[in-house]
Amino acid sequence: MALLFGNIWYAMMAAKVAKLENRLDVTALPYGVNTPAGFLTVFMVMLPICFKYSPKFQAEEDRLTPDEFAWKAMSGACAANFIGGVFEVSGILIGNIVRKNVPRAALFAPICGVGFVWLGFSPLIDVMREPLIGYIPLALCFTGFFANGGKGIYSNKIPAAVLIFVAGTVLWWAGLARWDTEGRAGATGDLNERDKMAEMVRIAAESYVGKNHFSPFVVLKGFDELTSRAVAIQFPIALASFLETIENVEAAALSGDHYNVNEAMLADGCGTMFGALCGSVLPTTVYIGHRRHKLTGATSAYSLMNGIVYFVLMMSGLTGLFFYIIDPVSIGVILIAVGLMIVQQSLEACASRHYPCIMIGIMFVVADMLYFDHFNISVGMATRSLGRMRGASNMAPAGGIMCSLIVTAILCDLIDSRFGRCAVFCLIACFFSLFGLMHGNNYLFVDGTEMNVNTGGDHYSTDLGEVMLSTYVLPKKNAFGGDIPPDPSWGYRINNDNIRRFNEGWRFSIAYGALALFCVAHAAYQKFTGKLPAIMDNGVSEMHNKMLEKQKLPVKYVAEDAGNVVN
C-alpha cells in the first residue's frame, strides 16, 4: 500500500516538472523502503518489544501464544513507524536549511556508508560463501549495470536484474550451494538438496499465495506497546530519513531533474504514515538509483508501473513464494549493484578534497556491522580488546547515521578552513552527544539502573542511541572515606573492571566542546590576520559545475533554489 501510494505521488511530481520545463525526459524519483531506517526499526523498536513479551521473562499464566507475540511486535512497530512519518514530515521546516549549510560530502556520507556496508559488503560475503553460484551473477552485475557508461552492454529489453536472477537461480537449483545459512537451500555441509528446496517452495505456496490477511489500522493497537524511549528513538530515525531524502533529491538534481525537496519529504512522510496505518513496520523514502533510471530512459511511467507491480506481488502473497524460488545469492548481487551505485554517485557529487571525510563517514557504518556481527560484550576480553570493542560500540549507535553526517561535516569544514561553521557543528554534536543522539553508548538509565530485559531494555543491541541524558555518578564513600566496592550504579571510573556498564555520551560532549574552542581560536586568527582563506563552494564537485555549464543554469539557481522550482 505504501509503495503504491508513494510511486503514484512521484509519478505525478515528474509529470509536473516535465510540464513546467516543457520536456519529456524527466525521470521520476525512485521510491522504496528506507533501508537504514529499516535496520533501526527492527533492532531498536521491535526487538525490545520481543524481549518484553519473551516467555523467558513471563509467568506461565501470562505467556502469549506465538500469534499474539508476533502481533505485539508488529503493531508496536507500526505505531512507531507512524510517529516516525510525522517526524519526517516535520523535516520540511529545516530541510532547505540543512541542504544549504551542510557540506555535500556530509550529506552523502551516511547513505554512502549504508550502500558500502549493508548493500555492498554484506551481500558480497554471501557471494564469497557460494562462489559456484555467485560469480556469474556478479559478472553480470558489472557488465549489466556499470559497463558502457552505466547503460550496460545488454539490450534494454532484457533487464540486467532478470539475467542475474535467472543465472543465479538456475545454478542454485542445479544443486551447487554448499553453505546456506538462511536454511532455504537445505544445505547440510555438502551440496544443497533439491528435494528439501522443493518441499520448502510447496510449503511457501500453501502458506502465502492468496493468504493475505490485510489488517488496516492495526497500528492503533500498537501505541500501548510504546514507551517514551521507543517514541524518542523515532526522532533520529526520522532525521536520518529526511536527510536521505535531501541527499537523493540532490543526486537527482545532478542529472538535471530538479524536484521540490519539501514536497519529497511530504510524500515520504505521508507514505510512511499511510503504510503504517495499513500494517507496515518499515518507513519509506526517496530511494537511490535515479541516475540508473535516467540512463535507461525511464520517465514518470516507470514509477507508476513499479507501484502497481509491487502492489500485485505483495498483496497476492507471491513475494513469499518467490523468496523460496529465487536464489538468495543473486538477490544479494542486485543489492551490491545498488550499493556500489550509491558509492559511485556520492564520490562523483563531492569535491575530491573531501574524499577522506567521506571515508571517515563510511567507517561509522562499518562500526555498526562490527558491533552487531563480531563483538560479544558479555564475553571476557583482554583490556586492549575491550577498549577497541568500546570504541566501535561508541561509533555504532543508531546505525552510525548521525555520527556519519555530523563528524563528516566537521572534517569537511576543517579542510576548507570554515572554522566558524565548524564550531557550530561541534556545538550541535556536543548537544546531541549529551542526549544520546550521537555516540549514545549508554548502558544506564538516568536513575543509575542498568539496562537489561528485566528493566525494560537490552544494552547489548536495542537501546543504544536512545534519547537519554548521559550521567556521571561519583563513586560512593563508606564511613571511613574510602570507596565502596564497584557498583553498577556508579558513573565512569578509570581502571574500573566494570567500565563497560557506564555511559559514554558525556565524554564525547566534552570532547566536542573542546573541539569547538579549537575552531573558535582558529576562526579568530583567521579574522584578525586575514590568513587561512576559507573555501566557500560547500564541496560541490567539478563534475557538478560542468553540468551546470552544460545546462546553462546559474550556480546560484542550483545551489539555493533547486528543489524549490515546482510550487
Side-chain angles (χ1 to χ4, degrees):
M1 296 296 292
L3 292 177
L4 181 64
F5 179 94
N7 274 287
I8 291 174
W9 193 322
Y10 279 118
M12 294 169 60
M13 284 178 65
K16 286 197 296 183
V17 175
K19 181 179 180 180
L20 179 73
E21 300 183 1
N22 195 27
R23 58 191 179 95
L24 298 177
D25 61 343
V26 177
T27 301
L29 289 166
Y31 180 83
V33 172
N34 187 331
T35 307
F39 281 103
L40 301 181
T41 300
V42 168
F43 285 110
M44 299 176 70
V45 177
M46 300 186 77
L47 193 57
I49 295 175
C50 291
F51 277 122
K52 177 181 177 181
Y53 290 104
S54 171
K56 198 172 184 178
F57 305 102
Q58 298 283 333
E60 186 170 353
E61 62 273 13
D62 296 329
R63 291 177 183 174
L64 305 177
T65 67
D67 280 350
E68 291 172 335
F69 180 84
W71 274 105
K72 291 285 188 183
M74 176 186 169
S75 61
C78 287
N81 196 27
F82 183 86
I83 294 171
V86 174
F87 283 146
E88 192 170 354
V89 170
S90 68
I92 292 174
L93 301 175
I94 63 172
N96 278 313
I97 296 175
V98 171
R99 194 179 186 193
K100 294 177 184 178
N101 294 286
V102 175
R104 178 68 62 82
L107 283 178
F108 279 95
I111 193 171
C112 183
V114 170
F116 180 82
V117 174
W118 295 113
L119 302 183
F121 181 36
S122 182
L124 184 63
I125 294 174
D126 293 332
V127 172
M128 296 300 124
R129 187 187 75 234
E130 299 291 355
L132 294 179
I133 294 176
Y135 265 52
I136 296 300
L138 185 64
L140 289 169
C141 166
F142 279 80
T143 56
F145 286 112
F146 297 103
N148 191 24
K151 297 179 181 179
I153 63 174
Y154 308 110
S155 170
N156 284 336
K157 296 180 180 179
I158 307 177
V162 173
L163 295 175
I164 291 171
F165 286 149
V166 170
T169 301
V170 168
L171 293 170
W172 190 51
W173 282 90
L176 298 182
R178 185 176 185 184
W179 309 108
D180 190 279
T181 58
E182 297 181 22
R184 284 191 278 172
T188 57
D190 202 346
L191 300 184
N192 52 302
E193 301 176 33
R194 283 168 290 184
D195 291 342
K196 291 184 178 179
M197 293 163 57
E199 177 63 15
M200 296 178 78
V201 170
R202 184 189 66 79
I203 294 173
E206 293 179 354
S207 302
Y208 302 124
V209 178
K211 303 290 178 64
N212 190 342
H213 299 287
F214 183 48
S215 304
F217 308 114
V218 66
V219 61
L220 300 178
K221 298 180 180 179
F223 285 101
D224 293 339
E225 306 304 328
L226 298 184
T227 64
S228 59
R229 295 193 309 277
V231 174
I233 288 169
Q234 291 306 306
F235 177 73
I237 293 178
L239 187 59
S241 294
F242 73 70
L243 287 174
E244 289 167 24
T245 299
I246 295 172
E247 292 163 0
N248 285 301
V249 170
E250 189 81 7
L254 294 179
S255 299
D257 294 338
H258 304 287
Y259 287 100
N260 186 326
V261 68
N262 289 340
E263 185 177 1
M265 283 190 282
L266 179 64
D268 292 346
C270 290
T272 296
M273 288 187 284
F274 181 68
L277 288 173
C278 294
S280 172
V281 301
L282 299 178
T284 52
T285 187
V286 174
Y287 210 58
I288 50 84
H290 176 274
R291 181 185 177 190
R292 169 67 187 176
H293 292 100
K294 189 78 173 176
L295 288 171
T296 58
T299 56
S300 60
Y302 94 89
S303 182
L304 182 61
M305 292 170 63
N306 271 348
I308 294 173
V309 170
Y310 281 124
F311 179 83
V312 172
L313 288 176
M314 295 182 180
M315 294 295 281
S316 66
L318 288 172
T319 304
L321 174 62
F322 290 158
F323 181 80
Y324 288 94
I325 294 177
I326 299 175
D327 159 47
V329 177
S330 61
I331 293 175
V333 169
I334 298 295
L335 295 179
I336 292 173
V338 173
L340 294 182
M341 285 179 190
I342 296 174
V343 174
Q344 181 183 18
Q345 182 172 276
S346 299
L347 294 176
E348 289 175 351
C350 304
S352 58
R353 68 179 185 277
H354 287 168
Y355 287 176
C357 307
I358 292 182
M359 297 305 109
I360 293 293
I362 290 175
M363 291 175 193
F364 281 98
V365 188
V366 171
D368 190 38
M369 172 179 276
L370 284 174
Y371 180 70
F372 280 116
D373 290 355
H374 296 283
F375 288 136
N376 184 347
I377 197 170
S378 63
V379 177
M381 299 180 181
T383 302
R384 178 175 175 82
S385 297
L386 183 61
R388 291 180 66 83
M389 177 276 298
R390 166 66 61 168
S393 60
N394 284 348
M395 297 170 69
I401 298 295
M402 193 54 60
C403 292
S404 180
L405 173 77
I406 301 294
V407 174
T408 302
I410 290 172
L411 298 178
C412 287
D413 280 352
L414 289 175
I415 286 178
D416 292 347
S417 296
R418 298 188 67 170
F419 297 110
R421 190 172 74 171
C422 188
V424 173
F425 283 128
C426 290
L427 292 176
I428 292 172
C430 178
F431 179 81
F432 281 7
S433 297
L434 188 63
F435 289 92
L437 287 168
M438 289 175 61
H439 311 288
N441 192 13
N442 304 323
Y443 293 165
L444 298 180
F445 295 117
V446 291
D447 62 359
T449 304
E450 183 181 5
M451 290 181 183
N452 55 58
V453 291
N454 294 314
T455 59
D458 170 35
H459 67 234
Y460 298 132
S461 61
T462 61
D463 282 299
L464 304 185
E466 67 178 22
V467 183
M468 183 190 71
L469 181 65
S470 302
T471 57
Y472 176 81
V473 182
L474 291 172
K476 298 177 182 178
K477 301 290 184 179
N478 59 29
F480 303 99
D483 290 348
I484 296 176
D487 183 273
S489 66
W490 288 10
Y492 173 80
R493 185 179 179 181
I494 298 174
N495 297 327
N496 190 327
D497 290 339
N498 290 323
I499 187 174
R500 69 178 177 82
R501 297 179 182 272
F502 305 127
N503 296 347
E504 293 282 271
W506 67 272
R507 297 204 297 152
F508 283 94
S509 187
I510 294 173
Y512 284 119
L515 188 55
L517 294 176
F518 172 89
C519 294
V520 168
H522 281 72
Y525 175 82
Q526 187 180 48
K527 180 175 180 60
F528 290 112
T529 66
K531 298 180 180 180
L532 303 177
I535 303 174
M536 303 297 290
D537 65 1
N538 224 30
V540 177
S541 69
E542 294 180 1
M543 178 182 296
H544 187 193
N545 288 329
K546 290 179 180 178
M547 285 184 175
L548 297 182
E549 295 175 3
K550 185 177 180 180
Q551 297 172 21
K552 297 181 180 180
L553 294 173
V555 174
K556 183 177 185 295
Y557 169 83
V558 175
E560 297 183 3
D561 298 319
N564 295 304
V565 179
V566 183
N567 293 304

